[in-house]
Amino acid sequence: MRAQMLDNGDLRITQTFDYRLESRGTPWRQMFQQYTLSSDRLTTISDISVTDLTTGRTYTQDTVHSPGSYGDVGWDSTCAGRWYIADITQSESHPDPFDPELDALTATAVGEPAQTKDVEIGWNIPSTRSAKSMRIELAMPWHGVATAYDDVVALEWEPFSALNSTPAARVTGTFAFPKDISESNSWAWLHTGAASETTRLDDGSLQFTVTDLPGGEYINVVVMAERQPTSAVSREQAGRMKQRILEQERREARIASNARQREARGRLVIGLALLRASERIGLPVFDFGQMQAALKDWRQGYAWLRGFEYACNAEYQALHATVPVGVGARMLGGAAMIASWLTAFIYTAAVGQIALALVISLPLLFAATFAVAISPRQAFTAQGEAYADQVGGLMRYMEDFSEFGDRGVFDTVLWGRYMVYAAAFGISDKLMEQMERAYPQLADPEWANVHTSNDSLVYWSARRRATRARGGAFGMHGMHAGGSFGSMVSNSFSSVGSTIRGAMPQSSSSGGHSGSRRSGGGRGGAR
């Protein structure tokens, strides 16, 4: 994607979407992007063009058509190759017409009460059962985006908002300034919670790459440039803003950098504990029960296991899933333990009644110690209860879903992802038994080499079970050049290298960082 800042404060945006459409029960027919117009930062979108880069077809404007109201032939002849823009403020299922000029919002100053509208830009593709790649280009100007202050011109561009539900494996983008603006008199920051990299080019443009963008994660670009005498930005606001924005970005960069370090260090601890456990067990696949058993009988394993548990607790707290509890109970228990020792000392040293110490002080000490030991340290929040219900539901689904026969061979990729959870639940062997009943070929190592990814838990679980069935030993030496446990850790954590870099102390933030941004950017979908 590319955004070009114009002299009047508008943005000329070009976005290219490369869709991979998996087969489903109904054909794919309609793609769309939704945006929130706001009178203080985006007043309207006009002059839209949609092009199918795969076929070279330029789409024409039309009204909204419901994909479910047509058959394949009717849809392709009547609706395919058309695009639309509609007002979905009141309802997504019953959109209203939108005229970019007549329905544009009147610009208001930043900080004043703003008017908003939600609009949807969609395009109708021919009925498609599946496609490995379908490239669509959406080009449009966004109006009324920038605000001119006494010293700078500033704006925010949010190509993906937190409301976006469509994940993306890779997002690349460029933000370009007008010709009189360079790196020496402009500033640019990328905000996102996903892994990212940024570069300033020779002409001052900001180039960024975001990888493994999940649904619900945003990408936000904040830019600022010194105001030029020839500035034609329509929205003006008195006051100097440069220093305030710089201080805000420095503060958010520090907060985000500290959060990244805590998260990365936790992930490193978890990854290293899984690697240590694999060395002790001699297998690249195991569940948490096996990991605990392997580490408990190892002198240094206790430290690894404790670090693993601390890292997990940090993840729970980051999700706001748990809160500390039982502090009062532990304090009372501690006080009771002190009282038991004092009374024992008095009974034995001062009074000389050892029997009283045994009858009164010793039971009190045992009771206090037991109360402190069993007192819970963490409890679920309401959000944590919801997470727990989801996890419990997933476990019940995997335990009860024993009919794999109609799933198809290539769904072993999907179940390879589920195997991670099955290992955590301690039911990975049970899940593999179900899969082998549906796919007896899994018992054949040669078939598994060809039809399953050799970095997946399905592959290694199948190899382990096949070797056991033949009475052989399966250890770390069984890994061949095509796969390793380290690569499985890499797949789980996106990038070990970026995790290690994130765990290192940083004096400044040179890449993307997360922060508190306003929502309202692009959010895509398909029907």
Side-chain angles (χ1 to χ4, degrees):
M1 65 181 67
R2 179 179 176 84
Q4 172 69 56
M5 182 179 178
L6 305 180
D7 292 328
N8 63 357
D10 293 349
L11 284 182
R12 182 180 293 117
I13 294 174
T14 303
Q15 293 178 280
T16 301
F17 304 93
D18 191 345
Y19 295 101
R20 179 176 180 177
L21 305 178
E22 301 289 350
S23 179
R24 60 177 188 177
T26 58
W28 300 95
R29 291 177 173 175
Q30 195 173 75
M31 315 296 178
F32 61 88
Q33 287 288 112
Q34 297 173 348
Y35 304 97
T36 296
L37 307 183
S38 182
S39 57
D40 64 345
R41 60 192 178 101
L42 173 58
T43 55
T44 191
I45 301 173
S46 67
D47 301 317
I48 299 164
S49 68
V50 177
T51 305
D52 186 335
L53 299 180
T54 305
T55 64
R57 183 179 185 180
T58 300
Y59 284 27
T60 58
Q61 187 174 3
D62 198 355
T63 57
V64 181
H65 294 276
S66 174
S69 303
Y70 297 82
D72 288 346
V73 176
W75 176 264
D76 290 348
S77 61
T78 305
C79 307
R82 314 289 180 89
W83 66 267
Y84 65 87
I85 182 170
D87 186 334
I88 58 170
T89 305
Q90 300 301 321
S91 172
E92 290 188 25
S93 57
H94 297 87
D96 296 319
F98 179 83
D99 187 295
E101 294 185 4
L102 298 178
D103 297 323
L105 300 177
T106 302
T108 58
V110 176
E112 293 183 358
Q115 295 178 319
T116 62
K117 286 184 180 180
D118 291 326
V119 298
E120 178 177 295
I121 301 173
W123 46 95
N124 305 327
I125 63 172
S127 292
T128 304
R129 298 293 173 180
S130 64
K132 293 184 178 180
S133 176
M134 179 179 291
R135 301 177 67 241
I136 301 293
E137 180 186 88
L138 172 64
M140 55 192 167
W142 286 11
H143 300 280
V145 180
T147 300
Y149 299 92
D150 293 344
D151 53 349
V152 294
V153 175
L155 63 86
E156 294 185 21
W157 170 42
E158 193 173 57
F160 291 89
S161 81
L163 299 178
N164 175 58
S165 60
T166 304
R170 180 181 174 88
V171 178
T172 59
T174 302
F175 185 96
F177 291 91
K179 61 179 181 180
D180 295 330
I181 303 297
S182 63
E183 186 176 1
S184 62
N185 59 357
S186 66
W187 299 261
W189 300 271
L190 175 70
H191 294 257
T192 182
S196 62
E197 295 180 356
T198 59
T199 304
R200 293 296 296 272
L201 303 181
D202 294 339
D203 62 354
S205 299
L206 173 72
Q207 193 172 70
F208 61 86
T209 301
V210 179
T211 55
D212 296 328
L213 182 74
E217 186 57 71
Y218 62 85
I219 297 177
N220 180 279
V221 177
V222 178
V223 300
M224 177 176 68
E226 292 183 354
R227 184 171 181 176
Q228 304 298 308
T230 58
S231 173
V233 176
S234 57
R235 182 189 292 108
E236 296 186 349
Q237 193 162 334
R240 304 182 68 82
M241 201 66 177
K242 175 181 176 180
Q243 201 58 37
R244 291 176 58 185
I245 293 177
L246 288 175
E247 291 175 357
Q248 177 184 350
E249 293 299 324
R250 292 191 191 105
R251 182 170 60 253
E252 292 191 1
R254 286 195 299 270
I255 294 173
S257 178
N258 291 338
R260 281 201 308 272
Q261 289 178 37
R262 288 193 298 269
E263 180 181 4
R265 288 166 182 164
R267 287 181 171 179
L268 279 176
V269 170
I270 292 175
L272 290 172
L274 292 170
L275 284 170
R276 290 293 186 182
S278 71
E279 294 171 359
R280 298 284 297 178
I281 296 172
L283 297 173
V285 287
F286 51 86
D287 59 34
F288 280 4
Q290 293 171 313
M291 183 185 77
Q292 291 179 334
L295 295 182
K296 281 182 177 178
D297 61 0
W298 177 36
R299 179 173 297 179
Q300 296 178 343
Y302 177 79
W304 285 107
L305 194 59
R306 171 178 280 186
F308 176 81
E309 292 172 350
Y310 285 164
C312 290
N313 288 334
E315 291 286 341
Y316 298 151
Q317 293 176 6
L319 291 171
H320 304 291
T322 59
V323 290
V325 296
V327 177
R330 290 192 295 275
M331 291 178 64
L332 291 175
M337 293 171 66
I338 294 173
S340 67
W341 283 109
L342 287 175
T343 56
F345 175 79
I346 293 172
Y347 291 144
T348 56
V351 183
Q353 294 291 334
I354 299 177
L356 288 176
L358 293 175
V359 172
I360 298 176
S361 302
L362 190 59
L364 178 60
L365 177 61
F366 285 155
T369 304
F370 180 74
V372 171
I374 67 170
S375 175
R377 265 61 174 175
Q378 299 285 330
F380 282 130
T381 62
Q383 189 171 354
E385 291 284 359
Y387 288 141
D389 289 342
Q390 293 173 8
V391 172
L394 177 60
M395 181 176 178
R396 290 190 295 272
Y397 170 75
M398 289 193 293
E399 285 186 312
D400 298 339
F401 190 76
S402 59
E403 294 298 330
F404 285 79
D406 59 348
R407 299 292 292 175
V409 169
F410 292 104
D411 270 341
T412 56
V413 176
L414 172 64
W415 284 96
R417 300 171 185 171
Y418 285 167
M419 284 293 292
V420 176
Y421 298 97
F425 297 148
I427 60 172
S428 55
D429 281 343
K430 180 178 180 180
L431 192 64
M432 282 304 302
E433 288 176 3
Q434 297 176 7
M435 294 192 70
E436 287 178 358
R437 284 198 296 268
Y439 307 121
Q441 308 96 311
L442 282 172
D444 180 3
E446 296 302 323
W447 186 93
N449 284 339
V450 175
H451 293 90
T452 64
S453 170
N454 55 22
D455 286 340
S456 71
L457 286 174
V458 171
Y459 173 84
W460 289 111
S461 297
R463 287 292 301 271
R464 178 186 64 175
R465 291 175 62 84
T467 305
R468 282 179 177 175
R470 289 167 170 78
F474 184 85
M476 296 296 286
H477 64 273
M479 295 182 177
H480 52 77
S484 67
F485 186 77
S487 64
M488 297 196 315
V489 173
S490 177
N491 290 340
S492 300
F493 293 149
S494 173
S495 172
V496 171
S498 63
T499 299
I500 294 174
R501 290 193 297 271
M504 296 178 179
Q506 298 179 5
S507 58
S508 62
S509 175
S510 58
H513 60 273
S514 61
S516 177
R517 317 309 305 173
R518 295 178 294 178
S519 62
R523 44 200 186 271
R527 303 182 179 99

mmCIF file with all atom_site columns, all heavy atoms in Angstrom, residues 66-77:
data_model
loop_
_atom_site.group_PDB
_atom_site.id
_atom_site.type_symbol
_atom_site.label_atom_id
_atom_site.label_alt_id
_atom_site.label_comp_id
_atom_site.label_asym_id
_atom_site.label_entity_id
_atom_site.label_seq_id
_atom_site.pdbx_PDB_ins_code
_atom_site.Cartn_x
_atom_site.Cartn_y
_atom_site.Cartn_z
_atom_site.occupancy
_atom_site.B_iso_or_equiv
_atom_site.pdbx_formal_charge
_atom_site.auth_seq_id
_atom_site.auth_comp_id
_atom_site.auth_asym_id
_atom_site.auth_atom_id
_atom_site.pdbx_PDB_model_num
ATOM 1  N N   . SER A 1 66 ? -26.593 -8.097  -2.889  1.00 0.00 ? 66 SER A N   1
ATOM 2  C CA  . SER A 1 66 ? -26.388 -9.130  -1.883  1.00 0.00 ? 66 SER A CA  1
ATOM 3  C C   . SER A 1 66 ? -25.910 -10.409 -2.544  1.00 0.00 ? 66 SER A C   1
ATOM 4  O O   . SER A 1 66 ? -26.581 -10.939 -3.440  1.00 0.00 ? 66 SER A O   1
ATOM 5  C CB  . SER A 1 66 ? -27.691 -9.400  -1.123  1.00 0.00 ? 66 SER A CB  1
ATOM 6  O OG  . SER A 1 66 ? -27.532 -10.497 -0.244  1.00 0.00 ? 66 SER A OG  1
ATOM 7  N N   . PRO A 1 67 ? -24.746 -10.951 -2.138  1.00 0.00 ? 67 PRO A N   1
ATOM 8  C CA  . PRO A 1 67 ? -24.222 -12.172 -2.780  1.00 0.00 ? 67 PRO A CA  1
ATOM 9  C C   . PRO A 1 67 ? -25.157 -13.366 -2.671  1.00 0.00 ? 67 PRO A C   1
ATOM 10 O O   . PRO A 1 67 ? -25.159 -14.239 -3.551  1.00 0.00 ? 67 PRO A O   1
ATOM 11 C CB  . PRO A 1 67 ? -22.909 -12.432 -2.032  1.00 0.00 ? 67 PRO A CB  1
ATOM 12 C CG  . PRO A 1 67 ? -22.540 -11.122 -1.440  1.00 0.00 ? 67 PRO A CG  1
ATOM 13 C CD  . PRO A 1 67 ? -23.827 -10.444 -1.105  1.00 0.00 ? 67 PRO A CD  1
ATOM 14 N N   . GLY A 1 68 ? -25.968 -13.432 -1.615  1.00 0.00 ? 68 GLY A N   1
ATOM 15 C CA  . GLY A 1 68 ? -26.825 -14.588 -1.434  1.00 0.00 ? 68 GLY A CA  1
ATOM 16 C C   . GLY A 1 68 ? -28.092 -14.567 -2.258  1.00 0.00 ? 68 GLY A C   1
ATOM 17 O O   . GLY A 1 68 ? -28.872 -15.532 -2.214  1.00 0.00 ? 68 GLY A O   1
ATOM 18 N N   . SER A 1 69 ? -28.324 -13.501 -3.033  1.00 0.00 ? 69 SER A N   1
ATOM 19 C CA  . SER A 1 69 ? -29.568 -13.379 -3.798  1.00 0.00 ? 69 SER A CA  1
ATOM 20 C C   . SER A 1 69 ? -29.440 -13.856 -5.232  1.00 0.00 ? 69 SER A C   1
ATOM 21 O O   . SER A 1 69 ? -30.401 -13.739 -6.014  1.00 0.00 ? 69 SER A O   1
ATOM 22 C CB  . SER A 1 69 ? -30.031 -11.912 -3.798  1.00 0.00 ? 69 SER A CB  1
ATOM 23 O OG  . SER A 1 69 ? -30.208 -11.432 -2.481  1.00 0.00 ? 69 SER A OG  1
ATOM 24 N N   . TYR A 1 70 ? -28.283 -14.394 -5.619  1.00 0.00 ? 70 TYR A N   1
ATOM 25 C CA  . TYR A 1 70 ? -28.049 -14.779 -7.003  1.00 0.00 ? 70 TYR A CA  1
ATOM 26 C C   . TYR A 1 70 ? -27.431 -16.169 -7.072  1.00 0.00 ? 70 TYR A C   1
ATOM 27 O O   . TYR A 1 70 ? -26.748 -16.607 -6.140  1.00 0.00 ? 70 TYR A O   1
ATOM 28 C CB  . TYR A 1 70 ? -27.091 -13.789 -7.691  1.00 0.00 ? 70 TYR A CB  1
ATOM 29 C CG  . TYR A 1 70 ? -27.589 -12.375 -7.808  1.00 0.00 ? 70 TYR A CG  1
ATOM 30 C CD1 . TYR A 1 70 ? -27.482 -11.483 -6.733  1.00 0.00 ? 70 TYR A CD1 1
ATOM 31 C CD2 . TYR A 1 70 ? -28.156 -11.907 -8.989  1.00 0.00 ? 70 TYR A CD2 1
ATOM 32 C CE1 . TYR A 1 70 ? -27.922 -10.175 -6.833  1.00 0.00 ? 70 TYR A CE1 1
ATOM 33 C CE2 . TYR A 1 70 ? -28.598 -10.593 -9.105  1.00 0.00 ? 70 TYR A CE2 1
ATOM 34 C CZ  . TYR A 1 70 ? -28.484 -9.745  -8.027  1.00 0.00 ? 70 TYR A CZ  1
ATOM 35 O OH  . TYR A 1 70 ? -28.921 -8.450  -8.128  1.00 0.00 ? 70 TYR A OH  1
ATOM 36 N N   . GLY A 1 71 ? -27.648 -16.824 -8.204  1.00 0.00 ? 71 GLY A N   1
ATOM 37 C CA  . GLY A 1 71 ? -26.897 -18.020 -8.535  1.00 0.00 ? 71 GLY A CA  1
ATOM 38 C C   . GLY A 1 71 ? -25.585 -17.617 -9.173  1.00 0.00 ? 71 GLY A C   1
ATOM 39 O O   . GLY A 1 71 ? -25.341 -16.434 -9.450  1.00 0.00 ? 71 GLY A O   1
ATOM 40 N N   . ASP A 1 72 ? -24.741 -18.597 -9.461  1.00 0.00 ? 72 ASP A N   1
ATOM 41 C CA  . ASP A 1 72 ? -23.435 -18.281 -10.041 1.00 0.00 ? 72 ASP A CA  1
ATOM 42 C C   . ASP A 1 72 ? -23.559 -17.542 -11.371 1.00 0.00 ? 72 ASP A C   1
ATOM 43 O O   . ASP A 1 72 ? -22.879 -16.529 -11.600 1.00 0.00 ? 72 ASP A O   1
ATOM 44 C CB  . ASP A 1 72 ? -22.630 -19.566 -10.242 1.00 0.00 ? 72 ASP A CB  1
ATOM 45 C CG  . ASP A 1 72 ? -22.146 -20.147 -8.928  1.00 0.00 ? 72 ASP A CG  1
ATOM 46 O OD1 . ASP A 1 72 ? -22.201 -19.425 -7.911  1.00 0.00 ? 72 ASP A OD1 1
ATOM 47 O OD2 . ASP A 1 72 ? -21.707 -21.316 -8.918  1.00 0.00 ? 72 ASP A OD2 1
ATOM 48 N N   . VAL A 1 73 ? -24.425 -18.030 -12.252 1.00 0.00 ? 73 VAL A N   1
ATOM 49 C CA  . VAL A 1 73 ? -24.564 -17.410 -13.576 1.00 0.00 ? 73 VAL A CA  1
ATOM 50 C C   . VAL A 1 73 ? -25.124 -16.006 -13.447 1.00 0.00 ? 73 VAL A C   1
ATOM 51 O O   . VAL A 1 73 ? -24.629 -15.050 -14.060 1.00 0.00 ? 73 VAL A O   1
ATOM 52 C CB  . VAL A 1 73 ? -25.452 -18.277 -14.487 1.00 0.00 ? 73 VAL A CB  1
ATOM 53 C CG1 . VAL A 1 73 ? -25.679 -17.577 -15.827 1.00 0.00 ? 73 VAL A CG1 1
ATOM 54 C CG2 . VAL A 1 73 ? -24.809 -19.658 -14.716 1.00 0.00 ? 73 VAL A CG2 1
ATOM 55 N N   . GLY A 1 74 ? -26.169 -15.831 -12.634 1.00 0.00 ? 74 GLY A N   1
ATOM 56 C CA  . GLY A 1 74 ? -26.770 -14.514 -12.462 1.00 0.00 ? 74 GLY A CA  1
ATOM 57 C C   . GLY A 1 74 ? -25.822 -13.524 -11.841 1.00 0.00 ? 74 GLY A C   1
ATOM 58 O O   . GLY A 1 74 ? -25.763 -12.350 -12.234 1.00 0.00 ? 74 GLY A O   1
ATOM 59 N N   . TRP A 1 75 ? -25.056 -13.980 -10.863 1.00 0.00 ? 75 TRP A N   1
ATOM 60 C CA  . TRP A 1 75 ? -24.098 -13.086 -10.219 1.00 0.00 ? 75 TRP A CA  1
ATOM 61 C C   . TRP A 1 75 ? -23.014 -12.644 -11.196 1.00 0.00 ? 75 TRP A C   1
ATOM 62 O O   . TRP A 1 75 ? -22.678 -11.463 -11.282 1.00 0.00 ? 75 TRP A O   1
ATOM 63 C CB  . TRP A 1 75 ? -23.463 -13.782 -9.017  1.00 0.00 ? 75 TRP A CB  1
ATOM 64 C CG  . TRP A 1 75 ? -22.395 -12.960 -8.341  1.00 0.00 ? 75 TRP A CG  1
ATOM 65 C CD1 . TRP A 1 75 ? -21.059 -13.024 -8.546  1.00 0.00 ? 75 TRP A CD1 1
ATOM 66 C CD2 . TRP A 1 75 ? -22.610 -11.938 -7.365  1.00 0.00 ? 75 TRP A CD2 1
ATOM 67 N NE1 . TRP A 1 75 ? -20.405 -12.123 -7.759  1.00 0.00 ? 75 TRP A NE1 1
ATOM 68 C CE2 . TRP A 1 75 ? -21.332 -11.428 -7.017  1.00 0.00 ? 75 TRP A CE2 1
ATOM 69 C CE3 . TRP A 1 75 ? -23.732 -11.400 -6.751  1.00 0.00 ? 75 TRP A CE3 1
ATOM 70 C CZ2 . TRP A 1 75 ? -21.162 -10.416 -6.084  1.00 0.00 ? 75 TRP A CZ2 1
ATOM 71 C CZ3 . TRP A 1 75 ? -23.570 -10.386 -5.808  1.00 0.00 ? 75 TRP A CZ3 1
ATOM 72 C CH2 . TRP A 1 75 ? -22.300 -9.898  -5.482  1.00 0.00 ? 75 TRP A CH2 1
ATOM 73 N N   . ASP A 1 76 ? -22.446 -13.587 -11.928 1.00 0.00 ? 76 ASP A N   1
ATOM 74 C CA  . ASP A 1 76 ? -21.353 -13.258 -12.840 1.00 0.00 ? 76 ASP A CA  1
ATOM 75 C C   . ASP A 1 76 ? -21.807 -12.325 -13.960 1.00 0.00 ? 76 ASP A C   1
ATOM 76 O O   . ASP A 1 76 ? -21.055 -11.439 -14.389 1.00 0.00 ? 76 ASP A O   1
ATOM 77 C CB  . ASP A 1 76 ? -20.757 -14.536 -13.432 1.00 0.00 ? 76 ASP A CB  1
ATOM 78 C CG  . ASP A 1 76 ? -19.993 -15.347 -12.392 1.00 0.00 ? 76 ASP A CG  1
ATOM 79 O OD1 . ASP A 1 76 ? -19.746 -14.817 -11.295 1.00 0.00 ? 76 ASP A OD1 1
ATOM 80 O OD2 . ASP A 1 76 ? -19.655 -16.509 -12.680 1.00 0.00 ? 76 ASP A OD2 1
ATOM 81 N N   . SER A 1 77 ? -23.043 -12.496 -14.428 1.00 0.00 ? 77 SER A N   1
ATOM 82 C CA  . SER A 1 77 ? -23.521 -11.676 -15.539 1.00 0.00 ? 77 SER A CA  1
ATOM 83 C C   . SER A 1 77 ? -24.043 -10.312 -15.091 1.00 0.00 ? 77 SER A C   1
ATOM 84 O O   . SER A 1 77 ? -23.953 -9.333  -15.838 1.00 0.00 ? 77 SER A O   1
ATOM 85 C CB  . SER A 1 77 ? -24.625 -12.415 -16.306 1.00 0.00 ? 77 SER A CB  1
ATOM 86 O OG  . SER A 1 77 ? -25.738 -12.671 -15.450 1.00 0.00 ? 77 SER A OG  1
#
